[in-house]
Amino acid sequence: MITWKEIINFTTKGNPISEKRVDKTEAEWKEILTPEQFRITRQKGTERPHSGALCSIYDEGQYNCICCNTPLFDSTIKYESSSGWPSFTQPIKENAIKYHKDTSFGMIRVEVMCNTCDAHLGHVFPDGPEPSGLRYCINSESMQLEKGVENE
């Protein structure tokens, strides 16, 4: 289980190594993503709270990166945080997510990105439920739910 201390270490000492890399040009990303998906994942945007299609869906399955289809989160660790975005307590695997210190908007936060393609997903906060205490606050537009897939 990943802890907040480990996340902070990732932001300062380096991220876990991903199993593969997907690199595309901006033009190639624009060809495969909707304008909103591109804005969020490639330009570090965010969707309005409570507007995402995946906010209130709790079907069984696996949440994959919209850009490269890498598995990111399992539905069994999704929970209602009342934040306005889909929230999870842990990634599907330690090396699925990349962490970056984000000092935009006059705050210090930890940005989370797909470790395979660097897609912006959202942020992680240390105010989630036990046992991890983590809240991965993720944009719906950055993921797709693959129903019925169980984490191995």
Side-chain angles (χ1 to χ4, degrees):
M1 177 178 307
I2 297 175
T3 65
W4 183 247
K5 183 178 179 181
E6 289 172 306
I7 289 172
I8 297 304
N9 282 336
F10 289 144
T11 67
T12 58
K13 297 178 181 172
N15 282 287
I17 305 297
S18 82
E19 294 172 14
K20 64 180 180 173
R21 285 291 307 160
V22 172
D23 293 304
K24 296 183 184 294
T25 65
E26 185 172 307
E28 289 172 320
W29 287 124
K30 283 183 175 181
E31 283 181 29
I32 63 171
L33 299 171
T34 68
E36 185 69 352
Q37 290 167 342
F38 182 84
R39 183 184 72 80
I40 290 169
T41 62
R42 309 321 305 177
Q43 298 177 320
K44 301 184 185 291
T46 191
E47 58 202 17
R48 289 184 335 276
H50 306 285
S51 68
L54 299 176
C55 282
S56 59
I57 292 176
Y58 291 90
D59 295 345
E60 289 183 19
Q62 169 177 290
Y63 291 85
N64 298 338
C65 177
I66 197 69
C67 296
C68 69
N69 206 39
T70 295
L72 300 171
F73 301 99
D74 186 84
S75 62
T76 60
I77 47 85
K78 184 178 183 190
Y79 73 100
E80 173 53 59
S81 69
S82 299
S83 67
W85 291 273
S87 297
F88 304 86
T89 58
Q90 288 285 300
I92 206 162
K93 292 197 300 193
E94 181 179 280
N95 67 348
I97 302 292
K98 177 186 281 190
Y99 303 89
H100 179 260
K101 183 178 178 181
D102 178 0
T103 57
S104 63
F105 302 110
M107 304 180 255
I108 298 175
R109 303 179 290 174
V110 176
E111 176 190 9
V112 291
M113 297 173 284
C114 174
N115 205 13
T116 300
C117 71
D118 298 335
H120 171 74
L121 305 172
H123 291 84
V124 61
F125 302 95
D127 61 2
E130 294 300 328
S132 75
L134 298 176
R135 173 174 55 98
Y136 286 81
C137 192
I138 309 297
N139 289 290
S140 287
E141 290 286 340
S142 67
M143 301 181 296
Q144 57 190 341
L145 174 59
E146 188 176 357
K147 293 183 181 180
V149 175
E150 292 182 21
N151 186 15
E152 299 173 6

